Amino acid sequence: MEADKSKYDFVLDKVNSKLKIVAPTISYTGKNIQEVKKAISEIKNNVFKNNMDKNKDIADLETRYNSLFEQIKMYQREKKDMSGIKQYNINREKLLSSLQKIISDQPELAYLAKSIETLLRNLEEGVSFTDYIIKDQTVNKLEKELEQIKTEINKADSFFKMYSLPDKQKAIAVIEEYLDTDVKNVDDDAIDSLKKKISFLKREIKTLKNADDVSAINDFSKYITKLYLSMKDKSNFVEQDSKELGFRIKYIKKGNVLQPVKTYVDKESNKEYERNYYTGSMARHIVIQLCGYAAFLNKLLKDGKYPIVPIFVIDHISKAFDDENSKVIGDIIMYLLNDIGSENLQVFMFDSEKPEKLGINNKYSANLVSENKTGLCPFYKGS
């Protein structure tokens, strides 16, 4: 719509600029195409005659223009002056009325009260200054007339300006070309209305983009909870948590938190409500965290929205686990690899324990501790 409007305005401007050369008394509005074509045809046939009676002398127009300009200035100045005088008299009247009230109860000052009454009466009976204030409508009419005269001066200036025959021929050619251009006018209000609608939709989209996807967060929380509870046969603390009423691990986007919760029952009202469930074991915290990492990798790799290097590096995770619970580590990793495909993710583990103790069925392992080396150092070169 803006492109159509721009094209329409461009054609109007071009046609009118050339009309000043050949027919300064005519203006192209976009709706009077036949009138313009007829005028151009008459000019080409040397039939068109300049009607000098309809065009006023530039000097006369300039005189009228200057006269109106001075009138407007005078009216505005007078209006300003009258407004100031009126306010001055209003203040005087208030002051005299206040003074009259002060001395009314004091007989010894009666002679002053009479003088004040006389002054107030003179003010009331005086000339009403509001009668002299020029209304805004009067000034507006004068300003409109001023604009009309200015337009006439521009037209007259073009009319009396001398153009050569080749200039007029070129102007006519341009006018005819643009009059045949397929253009349509677009209402400015319609464009403004659409712009407001677009602006509103952009704000709405931004709000939605910034809002939490509650459904996705809930699905994410369910995946972590399901993975964690699937380890109940491998870990005594997971088994203990699975027996808690309404136990689940809730992912909180703000702060990137994994919060275990469970359902509590109010003994008096017998109503159920959810509360945070605090687990003290370090091993339990690590398992929940490991389930969270697995959920992130599962989502990132399956969604395929972001370019990532599919590598999961774990450093000495077994430290917090006893022999009874350590195999849960391997079970979570194998669950993740089976879920997304072992060919889609590489897992690197650095640990002092053997893979079998952690329940890991690894494809490759290497002993990084030797007589001259206590761990991984990619910059170390042996003798």
Side-chain angles (χ1 to χ4, degrees), residues 137-258:
Q137 289 181 353
T138 306
V139 177
N140 289 340
K141 285 179 181 178
L142 289 173
E143 286 176 344
K144 284 180 181 178
E145 190 177 346
L146 197 70
E147 278 299 313
Q148 288 174 357
I149 293 173
K150 190 176 179 180
T151 304
E152 283 186 48
I153 289 171
N154 289 334
K155 283 184 179 180
D157 185 52
S158 296
F159 184 85
F160 288 111
K161 190 173 180 179
M162 299 298 292
Y163 291 98
S164 66
L165 185 59
D167 286 339
K168 291 185 179 182
Q169 288 174 334
K170 288 176 185 177
I172 290 171
V174 171
I175 292 168
E176 288 180 329
E177 181 185 348
Y178 280 110
L179 286 178
D180 291 333
T181 305
D182 184 23
V183 292
K184 58 180 179 180
N185 188 19
V186 181
D187 186 17
D188 286 330
D189 291 338
I191 293 176
D192 289 340
S193 177
L194 277 178
K195 280 184 175 179
K196 287 177 183 177
K197 189 175 181 181
I198 289 167
S199 179
F200 170 77
L201 289 173
K202 280 182 177 177
R203 288 196 301 271
E204 200 171 44
I205 288 167
K206 188 176 180 181
T207 302
L208 289 170
K209 279 183 177 179
N210 293 333
D212 290 341
D213 186 343
V214 178
S215 176
I217 290 172
N218 287 338
D219 290 342
F220 193 69
S221 299
K222 286 176 184 176
Y223 184 94
I224 296 169
T225 304
K226 181 183 175 183
L227 178 54
Y228 180 79
L229 293 177
S230 68
M231 302 297 134
K232 63 182 179 181
D233 295 333
K234 307 286 182 179
S235 168
N236 53 16
F237 58 76
V238 177
E239 182 184 11
Q240 179 186 335
D241 290 341
S242 68
K243 293 177 182 178
E244 295 290 344
L245 180 64
F247 174 86
R248 69 188 182 96
I249 299 169
K250 185 164 67 173
Y251 174 66
I252 302 168
K253 183 181 171 184
K254 188 176 182 181
N256 201 35
V257 176
L258 292 173

